Amino acid sequence: PIPVGIDVQVESIDSISEVDMDFTMTLYLRHYWKDERLSFHSNKNESMTFDGRLIKKIWVPDIFFVHSKRSFIHDTTVENVMLRVYPDGNVLFSLRITVSAMCFMDFSRFPLDTQNCSLELESCK
């Protein structure tokens, strides 16, 4: 097993629908891990940054959104994906994603109700 760190930066909460019981948000999803097979020599200890093409050729975490109805990676003007590899094999993989997920709402106390919508991430494996 490879320890993977994840952080999420919410860019915007785009909508909340009481009728559809869902919400939509745009976020940056960042993954961090170390893969020594990707280490390289660098005189200045500088990282290398790649676009999405290299991601298809290396191992990346298999993260998905639980209860997602739909999601997409932004692609204007190019796919909003970034891979940065450091000389010691540390990897940063970042995506800009919009996701719509279910939010089970209870209106039995309306108008004094409170709703909590969460976005859960899991690994496929």
Side-chain angles (χ1 to χ4, degrees), residues 23-121:
F23 67 101
T24 301
M25 65 184 346
T26 299
L27 53 91
Y28 289 94
L29 175 62
R30 295 185 183 101
H31 311 68
Y32 308 91
W33 70 93
K34 185 168 187 168
D35 187 339
E36 293 183 6
R37 297 172 298 178
L38 299 175
S39 62
F40 60 92
H41 177 73
S42 172
N43 290 332
K44 297 181 182 179
N45 203 27
E46 292 179 355
S47 63
M48 295 174 58
T49 303
F50 303 93
D51 60 21
R53 292 175 293 179
L54 182 63
I55 292 162
K56 295 175 177 71
K57 298 178 188 266
I58 66 168
W59 178 87
V60 295
D62 56 354
I63 303 299
F64 72 96
F65 297 104
V66 180
H67 305 298
S68 171
K69 290 183 170 183
R70 61 196 159 276
S71 62
F72 65 91
I73 297 171
H74 288 255
D75 59 1
T76 306
T77 60
V78 295
E79 191 173 47
N80 292 187
V81 173
M82 188 263 309
L83 182 74
R84 181 170 292 150
V85 181
Y86 294 87
D88 62 358
N90 278 309
V91 179
L92 164 62
F93 173 41
S94 181
L95 306 155
R96 183 171 175 237
I97 302 173
T98 293
V99 59
S100 294
M102 291 185 275
C103 180
F104 302 105
M105 301 181 198
D106 178 7
F107 299 107
S108 60
R109 296 194 36 145
F110 182 81
L112 303 174
D113 60 325
T114 300
Q115 307 303 326
N116 292 307
C117 298
S118 61
L119 186 61
E120 298 176 40
L121 297 111

